Amino acid sequence: MSTILEVTDLRKSYAGVHALDGVSFAVEAGSVTGLIGPNGSGKSTAIDCISGFQKRDGGRIVLAGNDISGQPAHHIARAGLMRTFQTVRIYERLSLRDNLAIATQQFDPATWVDEFFRTRRYRLAVDAAETRARQLVELIGLQRYYDVETGILSYGQKKLVALAAALMPHPKIVVLDEPVAGVNPSRIREIEVALAELNRAGETFLIVEHNVEFITNLCHQVIVLDQGRKLAEGTAHDIHHDPRVLEAYLGMTPEMAAAEMRGAA
Ligand SMILES: Nc1ncnc2c1ncn2[C@@H]1O[C@H](COP(=O)(O)OP(=O)(O)OP(=O)(O)O)[C@@H](O)[C@H]1O
Ligand SMILES: [Mg+2]
């Protein structure tokens, strides 16, 4: 496996609060990596700095060998790092098909001249986008809704539409901010299955999420933040058995954590 995203010594303060106090981690190509931690531990700040939606104070971010530190969000997206947001951002009056068609437009190489004259390049780009859209829609299990206005979908399904839109330009990695927050518990499994399918098809994900079961089921690697620092990293199994994590993340005392671990063993 090769590293697709490498974050080194990432730092960010807000008026004296060290939201990120030198965080380093790497994401392997083809993996699902979880970023967890208690409220205020710096998860959102980390992904905002990585995706260029916040200015970092220090640290280096390398995507597929290219230093993207300090670049604006649209450059980082073009370089191959896409993200989704905690609140859904899709075009609810448009069909799923049209949402996905729009998602490629800002990235595809065809210009308005190509479009106006319906050049071969334009037709090829449109065909490639359509093929990609159909593949993604199948992987997220929403084929039935391809030509339907996305406004009628459930909140969880809308999150899947936003995810498919992020995947349209063939990013190297997608960073997801709380993909199941606010989703009806009965539908969380659908999102989990969709992400697993997409990962099996080769997509790489970095996921910030509070739902521990979801993270445990999906992630090959989990990074735990606490107070702006990396507290632990490893497989979900390692994390579940790390007393520092139980203490920080679940608010347990070392004694409670030890008892919990005896129970889990
Ligand atoms: N815009 C801001 N201005 C001032 N302080 C901020 C700002 N954004 C975040 N912080 C502070 O930075 C720290 C990290 O916040 P962050 O939102 O990154 O945490 P988080 O891990 O995403 O938490 P949550 O799980 O609650 O979403 C917290 O102490 C928070 O209060
Ligand atoms: Mg957050």
Side-chain angles (χ1 to χ4, degrees):
M1 285 244 255
S2 62
T3 298
I4 196 79
L5 178 71
E6 192 165 19
V7 175
T8 312
D9 200 26
L10 190 58
R11 291 174 184 277
K12 173 79 184 174
S13 296
Y14 299 105
V17 176
H18 291 300
L20 293 173
D21 195 9
V23 170
S24 303
F25 64 88
V27 176
E28 298 296 318
S31 75
V32 182
T33 299
L35 186 61
I36 67 170
N39 292 119
S41 56
K43 306 178 296 293
S44 295
T45 304
I47 62 173
D48 286 349
C49 290
I50 292 167
S51 57
F53 282 79
Q54 276 273 7
K55 268 196 183 331
R56 84 212 189 293
D57 297 338
R60 194 157 178 261
I61 301 152
V62 176
L63 176 67
N66 300 314
D67 192 335
I68 56 165
S69 322
Q71 288 189 13
H74 63 280
H75 281 199
I76 293 174
R78 273 190 180 275
L81 186 144
M82 295 292 287
R83 67 169 293 179
T84 65
F85 295 86
Q86 198 179 326
T87 50
V88 174
R89 300 182 180 186
I90 61 172
Y91 299 98
E92 303 219 348
R93 303 287 293 276
L94 298 183
S95 67
L96 174 46
R97 173 201 292 264
D98 288 343
N99 267 274
L100 298 188
I102 285 173
T104 45
Q105 275 171 8
Q106 53 176 318
F107 292 93
D108 76 42
T111 64
W112 68 268
V113 178
D114 291 313
E115 185 171 351
F116 187 77
F117 292 106
R118 304 265 148 181
T119 62
R120 184 175 146 72
R121 183 159 79 159
Y122 173 75
R123 280 180 282 115
L124 285 176
V126 169
D127 288 351
E130 175 82 17
T131 305
R132 173 77 169 162
R134 286 190 181 277
Q135 279 167 350
L136 290 172
V137 166
E138 202 158 304
L139 286 165
I140 62 172
L142 292 183
Q143 306 90 307
R144 281 189 296 147
Y145 302 99
Y146 197 51
D147 289 305
V148 173
E149 242 179 59
T150 55
I152 64 129
L153 299 175
S154 74
Y155 186 65
Q157 290 170 327
K158 286 176 187 170
K159 286 208 154 190
L160 287 174
V161 174
L163 172 62
L167 284 162
M168 277 301 288
H170 298 272
K172 297 184 170 75
I173 181 171
V174 179
V175 180
L176 295 107
D177 195 1
E178 307 213 17
V180 297
V183 172
N184 186 318
S186 66
R187 301 215 100 126
I188 289 178
R189 180 84 190 136
E190 281 172 32
I191 297 187
E192 194 183 300
V193 169
L195 282 165
E197 285 293 319
L198 290 162
N199 174 245
R200 221 167 289 138
E203 307 295 348
T204 304
F205 298 110
L206 173 63
I207 304 180
V208 167
E209 182 50 63
H210 276 289
N211 186 316
V212 174
E213 189 188 345
F214 180 83
I215 287 287
T216 304
N217 291 344
L218 270 175
C219 294
H220 305 106
Q221 186 200 200
V222 181
I223 295 144
V224 187
L225 295 185
D226 185 35
Q227 299 182 35
R229 291 170 185 243
K230 185 172 73 182
L231 180 71
E233 75 184 310
T235 63
H237 181 269
D238 296 338
I239 298 302
H240 280 301
H241 291 81
D242 189 323
R244 288 168 307 169
V245 175
L246 292 169
E247 193 184 339
Y249 195 67
L250 302 175
M252 292 179 178
T253 63
E255 295 73 30
M256 285 161 72
E260 174 79 10
M261 281 166 56
R262 278 196 299 279

